[in-house]
């Protein structure tokens, strides 16, 4: 790619995000009657009527509108939408008695699942910290810090390190097996790194920086594959690899039928996660002021594996997952892997100056804009065939929400600007 092509891609991103993607949400997601956000929309952008408001969708939406406002996308309405969501989180989803946030509400604001889930609380910290950074409103950071303190009190494994994830309403660890109380996951630790990065950026407190460094080291030393540097999904308490199972509280497993099994319960890794890990680690190192040189090998392994094995050089886009040594198991195209690969490939080029990453970026970018975006609504299809035909047709539900793709557009726009400077200086 040359600088002119990069600038053309940036313009395509900016025009689409402002004219189509953000308006999809600003026109329909605010629940004026009961508070919070409506997050379930069908193929045509109509409210599907689903009677739930999940912690994951509410917090991710707060993050989306806060980040858009902070980065100059979407105009003043983004701030108003973020404020609306924060009010709902604190007034309806916060557990005054036990602390923490309920996992699931109905539309009217009644708690239907009061469990405390580490994954959801990582997004509480992430979104509320971003909200304070974007708006200056201190209430976001106040509740982000309260949530951080609760995780240190209840979720840390003080014996073997890392964080437990699944708790009852009273913060009692759940039982073994599908309740999730005997496993540690890549998901929650990666998102805690992401959350602690933004928390430290907002607070400047050394305790948050120390916990950020600890989360980075857990990921590097315990969770990423010792040879390939790729993400391993689930572990036992002692950090030995556990077969990947479906938990009772679940996100992102819609594609696996009840009782279904992945191609390998042990040897599988997500290309989107590996790319996301790479760029989130770069962000953590930058905000925490940790030396990138100490983690260069880890960054390169994550980025090169996702590019070399995950990019579909024939049809474009990125595959879902495969083995650690490179065999592709699932060649369908899911929305969030595309989003994370865009940011990761741009960052990988900035880090390495290897133009293969720009070629990989272009492969995913064109697939997204030519196949994944449903321009009738402005949102993305959730799941496509390898060639780019929709398999699922809804626009949004509790885990297919605005967070991945809006963040991807904002950060890809900015990182491509940086990549253009790197490219211009290298010629």
């Amino acid at each position: 790619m040359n600088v002119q092509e990069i600038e053309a891609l940036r313009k395509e991103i900016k025009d689409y995000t402002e004219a189509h993607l953000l308006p999809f949400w600003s026109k329909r997601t605010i629940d004026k009657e009961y508070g919070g956000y409506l997050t379930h929309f069908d193929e045509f952008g109509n409210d599907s009527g689903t009677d739930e408001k999940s912690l994951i969708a509410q917090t991710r939406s707060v993050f989306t509108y806060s980040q858009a406002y902070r980065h100059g996308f979407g105009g003043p309405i983004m701030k108003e939408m973020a404020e609306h969501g924060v009010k709902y989180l604190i007034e309806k989803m916060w557990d005054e008695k036990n602390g923490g946030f309920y996992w699931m509400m109905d539309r009217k604001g009644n708690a239907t699942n009061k469990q405390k889930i580490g994954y959801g609380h990582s997004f509480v910290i992430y979104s509320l910290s971003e909200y304070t950074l974007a708006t200056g409103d201190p209430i976001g950071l106040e509740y982000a810090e309260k949530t951080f303190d609760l995780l240190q009190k209840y979720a840390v494994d003080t014996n073997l390190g890392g964080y437990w994830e699944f708790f009852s309403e009273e913060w009692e660890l759940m039982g073994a097996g599908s309740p999730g109380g005997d496993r540690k996951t890549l998901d929650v630790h990666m998102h805690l790194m992401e959350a602690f990065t933004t928390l430290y950026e907002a607070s400047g407190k050394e305790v948050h920086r120390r916990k950020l460094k600890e989360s980075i080291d857990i990921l590097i030393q315990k969770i990423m594959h010792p040879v390939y540097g790729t993400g391993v999904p689930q572990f036992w308490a002692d950090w030995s690899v556990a077969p990947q199972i479906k938990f009772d509280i679940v996100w992102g497993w819609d594609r696996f039928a009840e009782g279904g099994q992945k191609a390998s319960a042990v040897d599988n890794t997500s290309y989107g996660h590996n790319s996301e890990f790479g760029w989130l680690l770069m962000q953590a190192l930058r905000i925490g002021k940790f030396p990138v040189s100490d983690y260069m090998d880890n960054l390169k392994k994550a980025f090169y594996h996702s590019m070399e094995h995950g990019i579909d050089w024939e049809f474009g886009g990125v595959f879902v997952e495969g083995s650690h040594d490179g065999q592709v198991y699932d060649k369908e195209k899911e929305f969030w892997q595309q989003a994370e690969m865009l940011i990761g490939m741009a960052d990988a080029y900035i880090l390495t100056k290897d133009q293969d990453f720009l070629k990989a970026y272009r492969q995913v970018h064109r697939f997204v804009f030519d196949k994944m975006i449903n321009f009738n609504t402005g949102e993305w299809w959730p799941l496509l065939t390898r060639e780019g035909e929709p398999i699922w047709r809804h626009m949004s539900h509790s885990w297919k929400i605005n967070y991945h793709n809006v963040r991807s557009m904002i950060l890809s726009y900015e990182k491509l600007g940086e990549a253009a400077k790197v490219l211009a200086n290298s010629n």
Side-chain angles (χ1 to χ4, degrees):
M1 277 204 283
N2 56 41
V3 171
Q4 290 72 26
E5 185 177 357
I6 291 176
E7 291 301 334
L9 295 177
R10 293 184 78 222
K11 183 178 188 304
E12 188 173 26
I13 289 171
K14 182 76 168 177
D15 291 348
Y16 158 67
T17 304
E18 297 285 12
H20 300 280
L21 182 56
L22 289 174
F24 175 91
W25 295 99
S26 61
K27 290 176 181 177
R28 50 174 57 81
T29 191
I30 294 291
D31 186 341
K32 296 178 181 178
E33 185 174 6
Y34 296 114
Y37 308 112
L38 301 176
T39 55
H40 292 66
F41 300 104
D42 67 16
E43 172 183 357
F44 306 103
N46 299 318
D47 178 3
S48 71
T50 302
D51 187 23
E52 70 177 36
K53 289 175 180 171
S54 70
L55 181 60
I56 197 68
Q58 299 299 311
T59 53
R60 284 178 164 184
S61 295
V62 167
F63 174 85
T64 294
Y65 310 132
S66 299
Q67 186 195 39
Y69 183 71
R70 184 182 174 195
H71 289 251
F73 280 73
I77 194 174
M78 293 292 107
K79 180 183 179 184
E80 297 169 18
M81 292 175 70
E83 291 169 342
H84 177 85
V86 170
K87 185 173 188 289
Y88 181 82
L89 281 172
I90 293 171
E91 292 183 359
K92 295 292 188 180
M93 301 192 81
W94 174 258
D95 181 347
E96 288 285 355
K97 179 181 177 183
N98 301 295
F101 291 83
Y102 299 131
W103 178 248
M104 191 70 69
M105 317 293 285
D106 65 16
R107 282 195 179 210
K108 294 182 178 180
N110 303 302
T112 58
N113 186 323
K114 294 185 176 183
Q115 277 188 252
K116 307 296 160 55
I117 308 298
Y119 186 84
H121 283 77
S122 73
F123 280 96
V124 168
I125 296 170
Y126 189 41
S127 65
L128 292 181
S129 299
E130 184 72 19
Y131 171 75
T132 291
L133 285 165
T135 68
D137 185 347
I139 199 168
L141 183 57
E142 176 188 342
Y143 276 83
E145 291 195 74
K146 284 183 180 181
T147 304
F148 170 87
D149 292 343
L150 285 165
L151 291 181
Q152 305 314 311
K153 180 178 180 180
Y154 292 115
V156 171
D157 181 349
T158 54
N159 182 28
L160 296 167
Y163 291 81
W164 300 111
E165 188 168 354
F166 297 93
F167 299 89
S168 71
E169 176 184 356
E170 296 82 15
W171 287 99
E172 295 173 348
L173 188 63
M174 298 297 290
S178 61
D182 61 346
R183 277 174 164 80
K184 298 169 182 173
T185 69
L186 162 65
D187 245 352
V188 78
H189 287 86
M190 188 173 77
H191 290 299
L192 284 172
M193 176 180 72
E194 166 187 67
F196 294 166
T197 299
T198 309
L199 177 61
Y200 175 62
E201 186 178 7
S203 77
K205 291 184 178 179
E206 183 60 26
V207 65
H208 299 148
R209 183 177 184 270
R210 290 203 313 269
K211 283 295 181 176
L212 171 58
K213 179 63 163 60
E214 180 184 277
S215 69
I216 292 170
D217 291 342
I218 288 169
L219 282 160
I220 296 298
Q221 296 167 15
K222 304 291 188 184
I223 291 176
M224 306 309 283
H225 194 286
V227 175
Y228 300 104
T230 46
V232 179
Q234 293 179 17
F235 298 84
W236 300 114
D238 65 358
W239 296 105
S240 58
V241 177
Q244 189 176 11
I245 63 170
K246 185 176 181 179
F247 297 121
D248 293 338
I249 299 292
V250 63
W251 46 89
W253 270 67
D254 308 50
R255 302 182 53 243
F256 299 93
E258 193 67 34
Q261 185 64 53
K262 295 195 172 189
S264 170
V266 176
D267 183 19
N268 73 84
T269 191
S270 162
Y271 306 113
H273 255 161
N274 294 332
S275 184
E276 185 179 14
F277 165 75
W279 80 257
L280 285 175
L281 177 56
M282 286 184 65
Q283 174 81 345
L285 299 176
R286 183 178 68 82
I287 296 298
K289 295 182 171 59
F290 305 117
V292 174
S293 57
D294 289 355
Y295 299 91
M296 186 64 78
D297 186 54
N298 307 103
L299 289 164
K300 286 184 175 180
K301 282 183 176 180
F303 285 139
Y304 276 102
H305 188 281
S306 56
M307 176 183 71
E308 291 171 354
H309 303 295
I311 295 292
D312 186 343
W313 296 103
E314 183 176 357
F315 293 102
V318 58
F319 301 127
V320 171
E321 64 182 28
S323 67
H324 293 283
D325 67 2
Q327 179 185 355
V328 179
Y329 293 152
D330 188 339
K331 294 186 177 181
E332 291 172 349
K333 309 291 172 59
E334 207 165 4
F335 73 101
W336 71 266
Q337 285 98 338
Q338 317 306 312
E340 299 307 328
M341 190 66 81
L342 288 174
I343 307 171
M345 294 299 94
D347 247 356
Y349 171 70
I350 294 166
L351 178 73
T352 66
K353 301 181 177 58
D354 184 343
Q355 293 208 26
D356 284 347
F357 286 116
L358 287 181
K359 296 174 184 175
Y361 176 91
R362 180 170 54 196
Q363 281 290 101
V364 180
H365 181 109
R366 284 272 50 90
F367 184 84
V368 165
F369 277 82
D370 297 343
K371 300 289 186 179
M372 189 130 251
I373 296 171
N374 173 12
F375 277 100
N376 291 324
T377 65
E379 248 296 331
W380 296 19
W381 299 109
L383 183 68
L384 306 180
T385 64
R386 180 185 181 187
E387 294 79 12
E389 293 298 319
I391 298 173
W392 291 350
R393 306 187 72 90
H394 59 271
M395 290 293 95
S396 176
H397 61 34
S398 275
W399 73 271
K400 197 279 179 184
I401 192 70
N402 44 43
Y403 144 82
H404 280 290
N405 55 3
V406 174
R407 183 175 72 170
S408 177
M409 295 294 93
I410 292 171
L411 295 186
S412 294
Y413 176 82
E414 293 179 353
K415 290 178 187 297
L416 283 179
E418 189 175 345
K421 294 176 183 177
V422 172
L423 185 61
N425 291 334
S426 65
N427 290 335

